[in-house]
Amino acid sequence: MLKKVPNGEIRVLSATGVLGSGFLESSFENGLKRDPHFIASDAGSTDPGPAPLGSGKPSFPARAIKRDLRLMVLGAQRAGIPLIIGSCGTAGGEPHLQSVYTILQEIAVEEGLSFPAALIHAEQDKAYLKAKLRDGKIRALHPAPEFDENTIERSERIVGMMGAEPILAAIEGGAQVVLAGRSSDTAIFAGLPTSFGFPEGLSWHAAKILECGAAAATFRKNPDCIMASISHDSFVIEPLDPELRCTPQSIAAHSLYENTDPYLIIESSGTIDLRDAQYEAVDDRSVRVRGSAFRHADTYTVKLEGAELVGYQSLVLGSVRDPFIIRQIDDWLRRLDEKVRGRIKELYGNTVSDNAITLNVHVYGKNGTMGDLEPIKDATPHEICLLFLVTAPTQDIASAIASVTRHQALHLPIPEWSGLITGIACPFSPAYLDRGPVYRFNVNHVVEVDDPLEMFNIEHVQVN
Amino acid sequence: MTKLADLASLIRSKNAGPFSLTIDIMFDNPETYKRVKDSGKISAKTVAGIYGLSENNVQFFFVDNALAVKASIPRPATQGDLGDADSHGGQQYAPLMEIDI
């Protein structure tokens, strides 16, 4: 529980938008001077793509996580307040949680600290998910990929995104530092304020702004800290670097960021409703917010995130300057695909099925960035860049086919020239690069649970 | 006529989770925002036309208190999947810059 019981307002220090992205020590100290009741920082996201979840590796370097976590742990211990880290190690699965726990233990040893902590496990047991699926308790969000027992079986890992309840339970169980697996970014900030009776709408809305650190400032020069003071009729949000400013518009606009709907934001236990929120300047740096609401869900749900192995990838990068090739590039790529397919057949016969190998080509200069969404259909650039991506069941096959692709592309004939041409410019030797395993997100679903804690095992530990 | 890019303070796109893309068009004063909103030149229909989508696949909002226009669409490929060239969804807004207001 909190050592300091909030009286009239609860002050929340958000150390940074992502653990490992950094913050100014001076801003953090400014936050501590304002006597916060707890410190929290989100550490994860799906923003880096499916690789962290699939591979088990965080997307920030251990050294960067340690730098940030050391300052947060020292600050929280000095102030005698809890520290909550959400979505440890980017994806919040078991290897991610363990990697941050290892760093926490190193910090404790190096700094001579001893404190009770809790690890909240978010990686899901496959048998549990299959049973939930059979009971009709897993339903799709929109848009969602197909999802069945085979999807669960194929997944490298599936995590549940915890709400506020497991985090609150860990603190009530005595943890001074909570390392949570995958968690709702907002839940790590909203749980404590609501548990002390502060209005849910204000607490969740403040959490939504806090979770990105100083991102809601008008001009965020670098990742940094931000603070919210939540009272019973409003909350005030203030950046902690004196050079940063929040304005009513910058705070209102933050609800747009990475949400499909700017007014309604869905959480496990309900929906943050910002339709009646009002924003007013307190001074030229901080903003008071009123009128935010929270509507309880009829059924408590936990969102799932999963990743499966797609295969192993190699790539070839090359450019084309010849206008004859550029003007027929679509047909050129179709013919290249046929040639490569032919070679695959010659090399592997029936031992590798035709659809087990994928050749994707991004044509930069034409529609490389937008693909099918590109509205300019008739671009005539004077040069284009081709990124050939080969995905195959093993790295050996991917490397082999990438190498074949280079050779086929290099000398693919066009009708305008007779004799052997060299039709692409390659910047590397060897021309292909191996990318290793690649993953895809394969779940956009929620689980209906009887108890908000049922998917999240809380492990209490003494760190020293 | 003025291009939307010359009126907005920021036009950006980003993932809203791995399966959706969202576009924010922001203004730094209420007059410009109102001019764009009242022009009728940007709507769910405009966005659907530019991206070659059906209108019912576009969520569209005028956000008065943020002086912003927002549209959300399904991602053509799931983030990071084969064929996806923009893992963060960060460069999908560019065609909107050309809208004449």
Side-chain angles (χ1 to χ4, degrees), chain A residues 46-47 49 249 253 256-260 263 368-369 375 391 440-441 444, chain B residues 14 16 18-19 26-27 61-63 66 70 72 79 81-82 85 88 92:
Chain A
T46 55
D47 209 31
Q249 189 200 355
L256 274 65
Y257 192 60
E258 293 181 332
N259 293 320
T260 51
Y263 299 114
T369 305
T391 313
R440 72 160 54 101
F441 286 121
N444 194 26
Chain B
K14 193 78 207 286
F19 301 91
M26 302 163 86
F27 300 90
F61 309 89
F62 287 110
V63 190
K70 187 174 181 68
S72 299
Q79 179 195 6
D81 207 348
L82 300 184
H88 303 95
Q92 303 300 309

PDB file of all heavy atoms in Angstrom, chain A residues 46-47 49 249 253 256-260 263 368-369 375 391 440-441 444, chain B residues 14 16 18-19 26-27 61-63 66 70 72 79 81-82 85 88 92:
ATOM      1  N   THR A  46       3.250  -2.251 -29.130  1.00  0.00           N
ATOM      2  CA  THR A  46       3.327  -3.061 -30.343  1.00  0.00           C
ATOM      3  C   THR A  46       3.980  -2.246 -31.461  1.00  0.00           C
ATOM      4  O   THR A  46       4.169  -2.751 -32.557  1.00  0.00           O
ATOM      5  CB  THR A  46       1.938  -3.510 -30.829  1.00  0.00           C
ATOM      6  OG1 THR A  46       1.109  -2.363 -30.997  1.00  0.00           O
ATOM      7  CG2 THR A  46       1.303  -4.485 -29.855  1.00  0.00           C
ATOM      8  N   ASP A  47       4.342  -0.994 -31.160  1.00  0.00           N
ATOM      9  CA  ASP A  47       4.866  -0.112 -32.205  1.00  0.00           C
ATOM     10  C   ASP A  47       6.112  -0.662 -32.911  1.00  0.00           C
ATOM     11  O   ASP A  47       6.271  -0.460 -34.112  1.00  0.00           O
ATOM     12  CB  ASP A  47       5.154   1.276 -31.613  1.00  0.00           C
ATOM     13  CG  ASP A  47       5.006   2.373 -32.652  1.00  0.00           C
ATOM     14  OD1 ASP A  47       4.174   2.202 -33.564  1.00  0.00           O
ATOM     15  OD2 ASP A  47       5.718   3.373 -32.566  1.00  0.00           O
ATOM     16  N   GLY A  49       6.558  -3.488 -33.868  1.00  0.00           N
ATOM     17  CA  GLY A  49       6.170  -4.586 -34.739  1.00  0.00           C
ATOM     18  C   GLY A  49       6.135  -5.922 -34.017  1.00  0.00           C
ATOM     19  O   GLY A  49       6.282  -5.982 -32.788  1.00  0.00           O
ATOM     20  N   GLN A 249      -4.922  22.874 -26.095  1.00  0.00           N
ATOM     21  CA  GLN A 249      -4.976  22.153 -27.372  1.00  0.00           C
ATOM     22  C   GLN A 249      -4.024  20.956 -27.389  1.00  0.00           C
ATOM     23  O   GLN A 249      -4.359  19.880 -27.888  1.00  0.00           O
ATOM     24  CB  GLN A 249      -4.637  23.088 -28.534  1.00  0.00           C
ATOM     25  CG  GLN A 249      -4.896  22.432 -29.885  1.00  0.00           C
ATOM     26  CD  GLN A 249      -4.136  23.102 -31.023  1.00  0.00           C
ATOM     27  OE1 GLN A 249      -3.473  24.115 -30.831  1.00  0.00           O
ATOM     28  NE2 GLN A 249      -4.244  22.518 -32.202  1.00  0.00           N
ATOM     29  N   ALA A 253      -5.342  17.324 -27.947  1.00  0.00           N
ATOM     30  CA  ALA A 253      -4.871  16.630 -29.150  1.00  0.00           C
ATOM     31  C   ALA A 253      -4.209  15.302 -28.825  1.00  0.00           C
ATOM     32  O   ALA A 253      -4.144  14.419 -29.671  1.00  0.00           O
ATOM     33  CB  ALA A 253      -3.893  17.528 -29.910  1.00  0.00           C
ATOM     34  N   LEU A 256      -5.789  12.004 -29.616  1.00  0.00           N
ATOM     35  CA  LEU A 256      -5.821  11.516 -31.000  1.00  0.00           C
ATOM     36  C   LEU A 256      -4.765  10.454 -31.241  1.00  0.00           C
ATOM     37  O   LEU A 256      -4.920   9.591 -32.093  1.00  0.00           O
ATOM     38  CB  LEU A 256      -5.543  12.673 -31.981  1.00  0.00           C
ATOM     39  CG  LEU A 256      -6.698  13.548 -32.432  1.00  0.00           C
ATOM     40  CD1 LEU A 256      -7.273  14.336 -31.273  1.00  0.00           C
ATOM     41  CD2 LEU A 256      -6.239  14.513 -33.511  1.00  0.00           C
ATOM     42  N   TYR A 257      -3.657  10.567 -30.512  1.00  0.00           N
ATOM     43  CA  TYR A 257      -2.447   9.845 -30.891  1.00  0.00           C
ATOM     44  C   TYR A 257      -2.607   8.329 -30.751  1.00  0.00           C
ATOM     45  O   TYR A 257      -2.878   7.816 -29.671  1.00  0.00           O
ATOM     46  CB  TYR A 257      -1.268  10.340 -30.052  1.00  0.00           C
ATOM     47  CG  TYR A 257       0.060   9.854 -30.567  1.00  0.00           C
ATOM     48  CD1 TYR A 257       0.482  10.169 -31.851  1.00  0.00           C
ATOM     49  CD2 TYR A 257       0.883   9.055 -29.797  1.00  0.00           C
ATOM     50  CE1 TYR A 257       1.690   9.717 -32.349  1.00  0.00           C
ATOM     51  CE2 TYR A 257       2.101   8.596 -30.284  1.00  0.00           C
ATOM     52  CZ  TYR A 257       2.492   8.933 -31.563  1.00  0.00           C
ATOM     53  OH  TYR A 257       3.685   8.472 -32.057  1.00  0.00           O
ATOM     54  N   GLU A 258      -2.452   7.633 -31.851  1.00  0.00           N
ATOM     55  CA  GLU A 258      -2.480   6.165 -31.896  1.00  0.00           C
ATOM     56  C   GLU A 258      -3.807   5.560 -31.434  1.00  0.00           C
ATOM     57  O   GLU A 258      -3.867   4.378 -31.098  1.00  0.00           O
ATOM     58  CB  GLU A 258      -1.319   5.558 -31.084  1.00  0.00           C
ATOM     59  CG  GLU A 258       0.045   5.857 -31.705  1.00  0.00           C
ATOM     60  CD  GLU A 258       1.211   5.252 -30.939  1.00  0.00           C
ATOM     61  OE1 GLU A 258       1.081   5.067 -29.722  1.00  0.00           O
ATOM     62  OE2 GLU A 258       2.242   4.984 -31.577  1.00  0.00           O
ATOM     63  N   ASN A 259      -4.873   6.373 -31.388  1.00  0.00           N
ATOM     64  CA  ASN A 259      -6.214   5.822 -31.122  1.00  0.00           C
ATOM     65  C   ASN A 259      -7.044   5.948 -32.385  1.00  0.00           C
ATOM     66  O   ASN A 259      -6.959   6.959 -33.069  1.00  0.00           O
ATOM     67  CB  ASN A 259      -6.930   6.624 -30.027  1.00  0.00           C
ATOM     68  CG  ASN A 259      -6.256   6.472 -28.692  1.00  0.00           C
ATOM     69  OD1 ASN A 259      -5.822   5.392 -28.334  1.00  0.00           O
ATOM     70  ND2 ASN A 259      -6.167   7.566 -27.966  1.00  0.00           N
ATOM     71  N   THR A 260      -7.884   4.947 -32.653  1.00  0.00           N
ATOM     72  CA  THR A 260      -8.757   5.090 -33.824  1.00  0.00           C
ATOM     73  C   THR A 260      -9.856   6.107 -33.546  1.00  0.00           C
ATOM     74  O   THR A 260     -10.281   6.822 -34.433  1.00  0.00           O
ATOM     75  CB  THR A 260      -9.414   3.748 -34.214  1.00  0.00           C
ATOM     76  OG1 THR A 260     -10.013   3.188 -33.060  1.00  0.00           O
ATOM     77  CG2 THR A 260      -8.403   2.788 -34.803  1.00  0.00           C
ATOM     78  N   TYR A 263     -12.427  10.089 -28.931  1.00  0.00           N
ATOM     79  CA  TYR A 263     -13.280  10.357 -27.770  1.00  0.00           C
ATOM     80  C   TYR A 263     -13.491   9.135 -26.873  1.00  0.00           C
ATOM     81  O   TYR A 263     -13.732   9.281 -25.689  1.00  0.00           O
ATOM     82  CB  TYR A 263     -14.656  10.850 -28.223  1.00  0.00           C
ATOM     83  CG  TYR A 263     -14.619  12.127 -29.020  1.00  0.00           C
ATOM     84  CD1 TYR A 263     -14.980  12.148 -30.366  1.00  0.00           C
ATOM     85  CD2 TYR A 263     -14.227  13.321 -28.423  1.00  0.00           C
ATOM     86  CE1 TYR A 263     -14.960  13.316 -31.098  1.00  0.00           C
ATOM     87  CE2 TYR A 263     -14.198  14.503 -29.146  1.00  0.00           C
ATOM     88  CZ  TYR A 263     -14.561  14.494 -30.483  1.00  0.00           C
ATOM     89  OH  TYR A 263     -14.533  15.653 -31.208  1.00  0.00           O
ATOM     90  N   GLY A 368       6.560   2.176 -53.378  1.00  0.00           N
ATOM     91  CA  GLY A 368       7.263   1.408 -52.354  1.00  0.00           C
ATOM     92  C   GLY A 368       6.774   1.689 -50.944  1.00  0.00           C
ATOM     93  O   GLY A 368       6.771   0.803 -50.098  1.00  0.00           O
ATOM     94  N   THR A 369       6.359   2.916 -50.676  1.00  0.00           N
ATOM     95  CA  THR A 369       5.950   3.282 -49.327  1.00  0.00           C
ATOM     96  C   THR A 369       4.494   2.929 -49.054  1.00  0.00           C
ATOM     97  O   THR A 369       4.142   2.486 -47.973  1.00  0.00           O
ATOM     98  CB  THR A 369       6.145   4.805 -49.118  1.00  0.00           C
ATOM     99  OG1 THR A 369       7.489   5.123 -49.428  1.00  0.00           O
ATOM    100  CG2 THR A 369       5.840   5.210 -47.693  1.00  0.00           C
ATOM    101  N   PRO A 375      -2.231   6.514 -54.288  1.00  0.00           N
ATOM    102  CA  PRO A 375      -3.162   7.025 -55.305  1.00  0.00           C
ATOM    103  C   PRO A 375      -2.493   7.427 -56.616  1.00  0.00           C
ATOM    104  O   PRO A 375      -3.168   7.508 -57.642  1.00  0.00           O
ATOM    105  CB  PRO A 375      -3.811   8.241 -54.628  1.00  0.00           C
ATOM    106  CG  PRO A 375      -2.879   8.649 -53.545  1.00  0.00           C
ATOM    107  CD  PRO A 375      -2.052   7.454 -53.167  1.00  0.00           C
ATOM    108  N   THR A 391      11.179 -14.889 -48.285  1.00  0.00           N
ATOM    109  CA  THR A 391      10.835 -15.524 -47.017  1.00  0.00           C
ATOM    110  C   THR A 391      10.657 -17.019 -47.271  1.00  0.00           C
ATOM    111  O   THR A 391       9.937 -17.406 -48.188  1.00  0.00           O
ATOM    112  CB  THR A 391       9.535 -14.932 -46.442  1.00  0.00           C
ATOM    113  OG1 THR A 391       9.610 -13.506 -46.506  1.00  0.00           O
ATOM    114  CG2 THR A 391       9.321 -15.363 -45.002  1.00  0.00           C
ATOM    115  N   ARG A 440       4.786 -12.638 -37.446  1.00  0.00           N
ATOM    116  CA  ARG A 440       3.597 -11.825 -37.732  1.00  0.00           C
ATOM    117  C   ARG A 440       2.684 -11.805 -36.509  1.00  0.00           C
ATOM    118  O   ARG A 440       2.626 -12.758 -35.742  1.00  0.00           O
ATOM    119  CB  ARG A 440       2.840 -12.344 -38.959  1.00  0.00           C
ATOM    120  CG  ARG A 440       2.083 -13.644 -38.788  1.00  0.00           C
ATOM    121  CD  ARG A 440       0.995 -13.822 -39.874  1.00  0.00           C
ATOM    122  NE  ARG A 440       1.504 -13.691 -41.214  1.00  0.00           N
ATOM    123  CZ  ARG A 440       1.788 -14.722 -42.026  1.00  0.00           C
ATOM    124  NH1 ARG A 440       1.612 -15.973 -41.611  1.00  0.00           N
ATOM    125  NH2 ARG A 440       2.241 -14.511 -43.238  1.00  0.00           N
ATOM    126  N   PHE A 441       1.987 -10.667 -36.336  1.00  0.00           N
ATOM    127  CA  PHE A 441       0.915 -10.606 -35.334  1.00  0.00           C
ATOM    128  C   PHE A 441      -0.224 -11.500 -35.816  1.00  0.00           C
ATOM    129  O   PHE A 441      -0.603 -11.444 -36.990  1.00  0.00           O
ATOM    130  CB  PHE A 441       0.392  -9.181 -35.193  1.00  0.00           C
ATOM    131  CG  PHE A 441       1.305  -8.241 -34.454  1.00  0.00           C
ATOM    132  CD1 PHE A 441       1.783  -7.097 -35.065  1.00  0.00           C
ATOM    133  CD2 PHE A 441       1.664  -8.490 -33.136  1.00  0.00           C
ATOM    134  CE1 PHE A 441       2.607  -6.212 -34.385  1.00  0.00           C
ATOM    135  CE2 PHE A 441       2.496  -7.612 -32.444  1.00  0.00           C
ATOM    136  CZ  PHE A 441       2.957  -6.470 -33.069  1.00  0.00           C
ATOM    137  N   ASN A 444      -6.121 -10.541 -32.759  1.00  0.00           N
ATOM    138  CA  ASN A 444      -6.714  -9.256 -32.358  1.00  0.00           C
ATOM    139  C   ASN A 444      -8.046  -9.587 -31.697  1.00  0.00           C
ATOM    140  O   ASN A 444      -9.114  -9.334 -32.242  1.00  0.00           O
ATOM    141  CB  ASN A 444      -6.887  -8.326 -33.566  1.00  0.00           C
ATOM    142  CG  ASN A 444      -7.162  -6.887 -33.151  1.00  0.00           C
ATOM    143  OD1 ASN A 444      -6.769  -6.461 -32.069  1.00  0.00           O
ATOM    144  ND2 ASN A 444      -7.868  -6.143 -33.987  1.00  0.00           N
TER     145      ASN A 444
ATOM    146  N   LYS B  14      -0.175   7.139 -38.264  1.00  0.00           N
ATOM    147  CA  LYS B  14       0.472   6.248 -37.294  1.00  0.00           C
ATOM    148  C   LYS B  14      -0.396   5.017 -37.140  1.00  0.00           C
ATOM    149  O   LYS B  14      -1.608   5.051 -37.385  1.00  0.00           O
ATOM    150  CB  LYS B  14       0.588   6.967 -35.938  1.00  0.00           C
ATOM    151  CG  LYS B  14       1.513   6.294 -34.940  1.00  0.00           C
ATOM    152  CD  LYS B  14       2.991   6.566 -35.236  1.00  0.00           C
ATOM    153  CE  LYS B  14       3.908   5.473 -34.729  1.00  0.00           C
ATOM    154  NZ  LYS B  14       4.106   5.449 -33.302  1.00  0.00           N
ATOM    155  N   ALA B  16      -2.689   2.528 -35.151  1.00  0.00           N
ATOM    156  CA  ALA B  16      -3.484   2.500 -33.921  1.00  0.00           C
ATOM    157  C   ALA B  16      -3.634   1.010 -33.620  1.00  0.00           C
ATOM    158  O   ALA B  16      -4.630   0.384 -33.957  1.00  0.00           O
ATOM    159  CB  ALA B  16      -4.830   3.180 -34.117  1.00  0.00           C
ATOM    160  N   PRO B  18      -1.743  -2.912 -34.294  1.00  0.00           N
ATOM    161  CA  PRO B  18      -1.169  -3.517 -35.505  1.00  0.00           C
ATOM    162  C   PRO B  18      -2.137  -3.682 -36.671  1.00  0.00           C
ATOM    163  O   PRO B  18      -1.723  -4.058 -37.757  1.00  0.00           O
ATOM    164  CB  PRO B  18      -0.727  -4.904 -35.021  1.00  0.00           C
ATOM    165  CG  PRO B  18      -0.729  -4.845 -33.534  1.00  0.00           C
ATOM    166  CD  PRO B  18      -1.753  -3.844 -33.154  1.00  0.00           C
ATOM    167  N   PHE B  19      -3.419  -3.399 -36.452  1.00  0.00           N
ATOM    168  CA  PHE B  19      -4.400  -3.704 -37.484  1.00  0.00           C
ATOM    169  C   PHE B  19      -5.088  -2.473 -38.064  1.00  0.00           C
ATOM    170  O   PHE B  19      -5.867  -2.586 -39.000  1.00  0.00           O
ATOM    171  CB  PHE B  19      -5.455  -4.693 -36.934  1.00  0.00           C
ATOM    172  CG  PHE B  19      -4.847  -5.981 -36.462  1.00  0.00           C
ATOM    173  CD1 PHE B  19      -4.436  -6.141 -35.151  1.00  0.00           C
ATOM    174  CD2 PHE B  19      -4.644  -7.035 -37.344  1.00  0.00           C
ATOM    175  CE1 PHE B  19      -3.841  -7.322 -34.716  1.00  0.00           C
ATOM    176  CE2 PHE B  19      -4.058  -8.219 -36.931  1.00  0.00           C
ATOM    177  CZ  PHE B  19      -3.655  -8.361 -35.614  1.00  0.00           C
ATOM    178  N   MET B  26      -3.865  18.532 -37.936  1.00  0.00           N
ATOM    179  CA  MET B  26      -3.980  19.467 -36.817  1.00  0.00           C
ATOM    180  C   MET B  26      -3.713  20.898 -37.268  1.00  0.00           C
ATOM    181  O   MET B  26      -2.945  21.133 -38.198  1.00  0.00           O
ATOM    182  CB  MET B  26      -3.013  19.038 -35.724  1.00  0.00           C
ATOM    183  CG  MET B  26      -3.347  17.605 -35.314  1.00  0.00           C
ATOM    184  SD  MET B  26      -2.068  16.762 -34.417  1.00  0.00           S
ATOM    185  CE  MET B  26      -2.481  17.322 -32.796  1.00  0.00           C
ATOM    186  N   PHE B  27      -4.352  21.844 -36.565  1.00  0.00           N
ATOM    187  CA  PHE B  27      -4.255  23.264 -36.929  1.00  0.00           C
ATOM    188  C   PHE B  27      -3.838  24.051 -35.706  1.00  0.00           C
ATOM    189  O   PHE B  27      -4.107  23.645 -34.578  1.00  0.00           O
ATOM    190  CB  PHE B  27      -5.601  23.756 -37.469  1.00  0.00           C
ATOM    191  CG  PHE B  27      -6.027  22.985 -38.681  1.00  0.00           C
ATOM    192  CD1 PHE B  27      -6.796  21.831 -38.559  1.00  0.00           C
ATOM    193  CD2 PHE B  27      -5.608  23.362 -39.950  1.00  0.00           C
ATOM    194  CE1 PHE B  27      -7.145  21.081 -39.664  1.00  0.00           C
ATOM    195  CE2 PHE B  27      -5.954  22.616 -41.059  1.00  0.00           C
ATOM    196  CZ  PHE B  27      -6.725  21.482 -40.927  1.00  0.00           C
ATOM    197  N   PHE B  61     -13.634  11.979 -37.960  1.00  0.00           N
ATOM    198  CA  PHE B  61     -14.011  12.850 -36.838  1.00  0.00           C
ATOM    199  C   PHE B  61     -13.519  14.281 -37.049  1.00  0.00           C
ATOM    200  O   PHE B  61     -12.386  14.482 -37.495  1.00  0.00           O
ATOM    201  CB  PHE B  61     -13.361  12.372 -35.530  1.00  0.00           C
ATOM    202  CG  PHE B  61     -13.561  10.922 -35.227  1.00  0.00           C
ATOM    203  CD1 PHE B  61     -12.667   9.959 -35.691  1.00  0.00           C
ATOM    204  CD2 PHE B  61     -14.646  10.506 -34.464  1.00  0.00           C
ATOM    205  CE1 PHE B  61     -12.847   8.611 -35.411  1.00  0.00           C
ATOM    206  CE2 PHE B  61     -14.836   9.152 -34.161  1.00  0.00           C
ATOM    207  CZ  PHE B  61     -13.933   8.212 -34.636  1.00  0.00           C
ATOM    208  N   PHE B  62     -14.344  15.240 -36.686  1.00  0.00           N
ATOM    209  CA  PHE B  62     -13.862  16.598 -36.427  1.00  0.00           C
ATOM    210  C   PHE B  62     -13.737  16.721 -34.910  1.00  0.00           C
ATOM    211  O   PHE B  62     -14.686  16.461 -34.186  1.00  0.00           O
ATOM    212  CB  PHE B  62     -14.855  17.648 -36.947  1.00  0.00           C
ATOM    213  CG  PHE B  62     -14.858  17.758 -38.449  1.00  0.00           C
ATOM    214  CD1 PHE B  62     -15.943  17.320 -39.184  1.00  0.00           C
ATOM    215  CD2 PHE B  62     -13.764  18.287 -39.119  1.00  0.00           C
ATOM    216  CE1 PHE B  62     -15.950  17.414 -40.570  1.00  0.00           C
ATOM    217  CE2 PHE B  62     -13.757  18.383 -40.501  1.00  0.00           C
ATOM    218  CZ  PHE B  62     -14.849  17.949 -41.230  1.00  0.00           C
ATOM    219  N   VAL B  63     -12.542  17.068 -34.431  1.00  0.00           N
ATOM    220  CA  VAL B  63     -12.298  17.145 -32.986  1.00  0.00           C
ATOM    221  C   VAL B  63     -12.100  18.617 -32.645  1.00  0.00           C
ATOM    222  O   VAL B  63     -10.989  19.145 -32.694  1.00  0.00           O
ATOM    223  CB  VAL B  63     -11.062  16.303 -32.589  1.00  0.00           C
ATOM    224  CG1 VAL B  63     -10.958  16.194 -31.074  1.00  0.00           C
ATOM    225  CG2 VAL B  63     -11.121  14.912 -33.213  1.00  0.00           C
ATOM    226  N   ALA B  66      -9.543  19.978 -30.035  1.00  0.00           N
ATOM    227  CA  ALA B  66      -8.129  19.790 -30.383  1.00  0.00           C
ATOM    228  C   ALA B  66      -7.783  20.482 -31.699  1.00  0.00           C
ATOM    229  O   ALA B  66      -6.641  20.386 -32.157  1.00  0.00           O
ATOM    230  CB  ALA B  66      -7.813  18.306 -30.474  1.00  0.00           C
ATOM    231  N   LYS B  70      -9.631  13.917 -37.874  1.00  0.00           N
ATOM    232  CA  LYS B  70      -9.042  12.595 -37.692  1.00  0.00           C
ATOM    233  C   LYS B  70      -9.763  11.568 -38.540  1.00  0.00           C
ATOM    234  O   LYS B  70     -10.984  11.613 -38.661  1.00  0.00           O
ATOM    235  CB  LYS B  70      -9.145  12.197 -36.214  1.00  0.00           C
ATOM    236  CG  LYS B  70      -8.422  10.897 -35.861  1.00  0.00           C
ATOM    237  CD  LYS B  70      -8.465  10.689 -34.363  1.00  0.00           C
ATOM    238  CE  LYS B  70      -7.741   9.425 -33.935  1.00  0.00           C
ATOM    239  NZ  LYS B  70      -6.287   9.503 -34.126  1.00  0.00           N
ATOM    240  N   SER B  72      -9.580   7.177 -39.425  1.00  0.00           N
ATOM    241  CA  SER B  72      -8.954   5.885 -39.148  1.00  0.00           C
ATOM    242  C   SER B  72      -9.424   4.873 -40.180  1.00  0.00           C
ATOM    243  O   SER B  72     -10.602   4.853 -40.542  1.00  0.00           O
ATOM    244  CB  SER B  72      -9.312   5.401 -37.739  1.00  0.00           C
ATOM    245  OG  SER B  72      -8.836   6.327 -36.772  1.00  0.00           O
ATOM    246  N   GLN B  79       0.540  -4.862 -39.491  1.00  0.00           N
ATOM    247  CA  GLN B  79       1.856  -4.287 -39.212  1.00  0.00           C
ATOM    248  C   GLN B  79       2.950  -5.361 -39.195  1.00  0.00           C
ATOM    249  O   GLN B  79       2.845  -6.355 -38.479  1.00  0.00           O
ATOM    250  CB  GLN B  79       1.821  -3.588 -37.857  1.00  0.00           C
ATOM    251  CG  GLN B  79       3.157  -2.969 -37.468  1.00  0.00           C
ATOM    252  CD  GLN B  79       3.220  -2.612 -35.997  1.00  0.00           C
ATOM    253  OE1 GLN B  79       2.314  -2.912 -35.241  1.00  0.00           O
ATOM    254  NE2 GLN B  79       4.296  -1.970 -35.585  1.00  0.00           N
ATOM    255  N   ASP B  81       3.765  -7.542 -41.352  1.00  0.00           N
ATOM    256  CA  ASP B  81       3.538  -8.777 -42.109  1.00  0.00           C
ATOM    257  C   ASP B  81       4.180  -8.664 -43.493  1.00  0.00           C
ATOM    258  O   ASP B  81       4.559  -7.574 -43.935  1.00  0.00           O
ATOM    259  CB  ASP B  81       2.031  -9.041 -42.239  1.00  0.00           C
ATOM    260  CG  ASP B  81       1.743 -10.532 -42.405  1.00  0.00           C
ATOM    261  OD1 ASP B  81       2.679 -11.321 -42.639  1.00  0.00           O
ATOM    262  OD2 ASP B  81       0.559 -10.908 -42.296  1.00  0.00           O
ATOM    263  N   LEU B  82       4.305  -9.778 -44.188  1.00  0.00           N
ATOM    264  CA  LEU B  82       4.890  -9.758 -45.524  1.00  0.00           C
ATOM    265  C   LEU B  82       4.106  -8.775 -46.385  1.00  0.00           C
ATOM    266  O   LEU B  82       2.890  -8.781 -46.388  1.00  0.00           O
ATOM    267  CB  LEU B  82       4.847 -11.151 -46.157  1.00  0.00           C
ATOM    268  CG  LEU B  82       5.597 -12.245 -45.401  1.00  0.00           C
ATOM    269  CD1 LEU B  82       5.570 -13.552 -46.192  1.00  0.00           C
ATOM    270  CD2 LEU B  82       7.027 -11.825 -45.105  1.00  0.00           C
ATOM    271  N   ALA B  85       5.183  -2.271 -45.945  1.00  0.00           N
ATOM    272  CA  ALA B  85       6.416  -1.502 -46.143  1.00  0.00           C
ATOM    273  C   ALA B  85       6.539  -0.360 -45.148  1.00  0.00           C
ATOM    274  O   ALA B  85       7.497   0.410 -45.201  1.00  0.00           O
ATOM    275  CB  ALA B  85       6.462  -0.943 -47.560  1.00  0.00           C
ATOM    276  N   HIS B  88       5.497   1.371 -38.943  1.00  0.00           N
ATOM    277  CA  HIS B  88       4.899   2.308 -37.993  1.00  0.00           C
ATOM    278  C   HIS B  88       3.695   3.033 -38.587  1.00  0.00           C
ATOM    279  O   HIS B  88       3.047   3.821 -37.899  1.00  0.00           O
ATOM    280  CB  HIS B  88       5.937   3.320 -37.519  1.00  0.00           C
ATOM    281  CG  HIS B  88       7.139   2.676 -36.888  1.00  0.00           C
ATOM    282  ND1 HIS B  88       8.286   2.399 -37.590  1.00  0.00           N
ATOM    283  CD2 HIS B  88       7.340   2.215 -35.635  1.00  0.00           C
ATOM    284  CE1 HIS B  88       9.152   1.803 -36.782  1.00  0.00           C
ATOM    285  NE2 HIS B  88       8.606   1.681 -35.595  1.00  0.00           N
ATOM    286  N   GLN B  92       1.882   7.305 -44.411  1.00  0.00           N
ATOM    287  CA  GLN B  92       0.707   7.043 -45.237  1.00  0.00           C
ATOM    288  C   GLN B  92      -0.184   8.277 -45.411  1.00  0.00           C
ATOM    289  O   GLN B  92      -1.198   8.228 -46.084  1.00  0.00           O
ATOM    290  CB  GLN B  92      -0.113   5.884 -44.633  1.00  0.00           C
ATOM    291  CG  GLN B  92       0.694   4.599 -44.468  1.00  0.00           C
ATOM    292  CD  GLN B  92       1.251   4.069 -45.793  1.00  0.00           C
ATOM    293  OE1 GLN B  92       0.516   3.914 -46.773  1.00  0.00           O
ATOM    294  NE2 GLN B  92       2.555   3.803 -45.839  1.00  0.00           N
TER     295      GLN B  92
END
